[in-house]
Amino acid sequence: MTTKGNKKGFSTRAVHSGRGFVGNTGAVMPPVYLTSTFAQGNADGFDYTRSGNPNFRLLEQSIATLEGAEHATCFASGVSAITAVVSSLKSGDLIVAEENIYGCTYRMFERVFAKFGVQARYFDLSRSENWPQISALKPALVWLESPTNPLLKILDIAGISALGAPVVVDNTFASPFLQRPLELGATLSLSSTTKYINGHSDCLGGIVATNDAAWHKRMVFAQKALGLQPSPFDAWLTTRGQRTLAVRMERHCANALALAGWLEKQKRVRWVRYPFLPSHPQNQLARKQMSGGSGMITIELDGDALAFCRKLELFTLAESLGGVESLICHPATMTHAGVPKAVREQVGITDGVVRFSVGIEDVADLIADLEQAL
Ligand SMILES: *Cc1c(COP(=O)(O)O)cnc(C)c1O
């Protein structure tokens, strides 16, 4: 199966790639290879599931075609994928990171890899006046995330990649349907497949896609040497989930755009942040590098935000995002509870901020639910 050279449309690739290993059964979809080990000398070159399994290869092929990449390597979770990338650095290496990165990435930099001499420095990389820091510091890696969590900042992937340092983009919030970092010049595109790629909130996973053979070797090494591999069943579930990525993302985008526009007109809503609304500070950049605004909306409410969350019926108050079902998150008491209040508020995460992961339900029902809760 060709990956990067595959000229078929996105949806066709999502449906038709990653369908091998059916033997002579004629099965239209591949089986789950629930085996820990393989007989020596088999034609496909498998030895032990920590270093490879047919279900990993199928998932890696399909995500590589979606990211427009030569290679992809699958992991047990998004955090495992981040571990794989950071563990490839060595003591003394510097990471320049966007200051609004995912909390677990920040925690890993500061509480795990800092102990081994990998240093991270943080800048607001949505401001191009901070980019000369990248040219001056010559980091081993630039760590981007776009859109960011929960404020949905958009970073200029092509502009930052053109500075020459290797760039990794956490593409989780956009998914490869809406944004392909490697085509914009990034070295690595990383996703928590737990979110949009699998899309059904029934397993964890992570993936790293690249066109760089040396980085691919490092990812394969990390998968087996650090024990970061997923289970074959989770790889199978994720391969099934990604087949419908295009149709799900189209609905997530349409629902979120309609909801965001509706929210902007509500008196109790102080502000609405959604990349494809004209009011978003980087709306033009978002439209340049993404083909849709995705399903995430962040707003600030007047009054008790937690009471509002609890009154909703179709939006479950829960962490995570990107599933078919709508969720709502109150960052101040959930994802960012560990951040001191003053620090949180300084970056805009007040007690009134709530983040929606807009699902693929009927948008009229979602709006009615918000209306009764407001
Ligand atoms: C959820 C998430 C991760 C971590 O992924 P897990 O699968 O939960 O380990 C990393 N980055 C972003 C942006 C995420 O939303």
Side-chain angles (χ1 to χ4, degrees), residues 75-82 100-105 143-149 170-174 190-195 203-206 296 320-321 355:
F75 298 100
S77 65
V79 164
S80 304
I82 297 165
N100 187 208
I101 52 169
Y102 182 65
C104 297
T105 309
W143 201 282
L144 307 183
E145 196 176 305
S146 188
T148 65
N149 178 35
D170 185 329
N171 201 35
T172 302
F173 272 41
L190 178 152
S191 294
S192 165
T193 59
T194 309
K195 318 295 171 49
C203 72
L204 303 194
M296 305 302 295
S320 199
L321 60 117
R355 187 196 76 180

Side-chain angles (χ1 to χ4, degrees), residues 101-347:
I101 52 169
Y102 182 65
C104 297
T105 309
Y106 174 81
R107 181 175 63 191
M108 192 188 300
F109 290 170
E110 295 306 313
R111 298 192 44 198
V112 182
F113 285 99
K115 288 188 298 191
F116 301 102
V118 174
Q119 199 204 340
R121 294 192 54 187
Y122 306 90
F123 298 96
D124 179 353
L125 295 176
S126 69
R127 304 168 70 93
S128 57
E129 55 267 40
N130 289 329
W131 295 0
Q133 296 281 358
I134 295 173
S135 312
L137 293 167
K138 298 194 175 25
L141 213 50
V142 177
W143 201 282
L144 307 183
E145 196 176 305
S146 188
T148 65
N149 178 35
L151 296 173
L152 308 178
K153 258 166 77 168
I154 304 293
L155 306 181
D156 186 345
I157 297 169
I160 295 169
S161 298
L163 300 170
V167 168
V168 51
V169 177
D170 185 329
N171 201 35
T172 302
F173 272 41
S175 90
F177 180 65
L178 301 177
Q179 172 173 281
R180 285 175 294 283
L182 303 184
E183 291 172 2
L184 296 167
T187 307
L188 303 170
S189 175
L190 178 152
S191 294
S192 165
T193 59
T194 309
K195 318 295 171 49
Y196 287 110
I197 289 178
N198 177 54
H200 293 77
S201 306
D202 50 14
C203 72
L204 303 194
I207 199 114
V208 178
T210 186
N211 289 321
D212 183 314
W215 267 106
H216 177 234
K217 257 175 99 174
R218 287 173 208 147
M219 294 302 95
V220 171
F221 177 78
Q223 187 191 54
K224 69 175 171 192
L226 299 180
L228 298 173
Q229 77 293 338
S231 81
F233 185 57
D234 288 354
W236 183 91
L237 278 174
T238 306
T239 308
R240 185 180 67 163
Q242 59 81 40
R243 300 208 188 282
T244 55
L245 181 62
V247 285
R248 284 187 285 105
M249 290 317 292
E250 282 168 1
R251 176 66 77 87
H252 283 297
C253 291
N255 279 2
L257 185 62
L259 264 191
W262 183 85
L263 282 162
E264 264 193 332
K265 295 192 209 105
Q266 307 309 307
K267 266 216 240 32
R268 253 193 82 191
V269 178
R270 288 206 186 112
W271 50 257
V272 177
R273 188 71 50 89
Y274 182 69
F276 267 43
L277 277 185
S279 59
H280 189 286
Q282 291 117 14
N283 176 243
Q284 279 187 344
L285 175 60
R287 286 180 182 271
K288 200 170 111 193
Q289 69 183 19
M290 299 169 75
S291 58
S294 198
M296 305 302 295
I297 305 173
T298 302
I299 67 170
E300 186 178 38
L301 272 179
D302 224 353
D304 190 344
L306 209 48
F308 163 77
C309 294
R310 296 217 162 95
K311 268 186 101 171
L312 290 164
E313 283 160 13
L314 296 177
F315 292 79
T316 305
L317 183 61
E319 286 183 20
S320 199
L321 60 117
V324 291
E325 73 295 335
S326 290
L327 299 178
I328 190 162
C329 166
H330 184 240
T333 57
M334 295 165 65
T335 49
H336 292 67
V339 183
K341 189 173 163 113
V343 178
R344 263 199 288 116
E345 301 212 324
Q346 207 184 339
V347 296

Side-chain angles (χ1 to χ4, degrees), residues 42-111:
N42 64 81
D44 289 308
F46 292 107
D47 46 46
Y48 187 60
T49 281
R50 177 149 42 72
S51 53
N53 176 288
N55 294 111
F56 301 0
R57 277 202 204 160
L58 295 172
L59 174 61
E60 290 168 350
Q61 274 173 5
S62 54
I63 303 300
T65 72
L66 300 189
E67 293 273 1
E70 298 282 0
H71 316 282
T73 315
C74 64
F75 298 100
S77 65
V79 164
S80 304
I82 297 165
T83 305
V85 173
V86 186
S87 72
S88 307
L89 302 182
K90 58 185 191 308
S91 179
D93 279 350
L94 174 71
I95 301 171
V96 166
E98 154 60 28
E99 65 183 10
N100 187 208
I101 52 169
Y102 182 65
C104 297
T105 309
Y106 174 81
R107 181 175 63 191
M108 192 188 300
F109 290 170
E110 295 306 313
R111 298 192 44 198

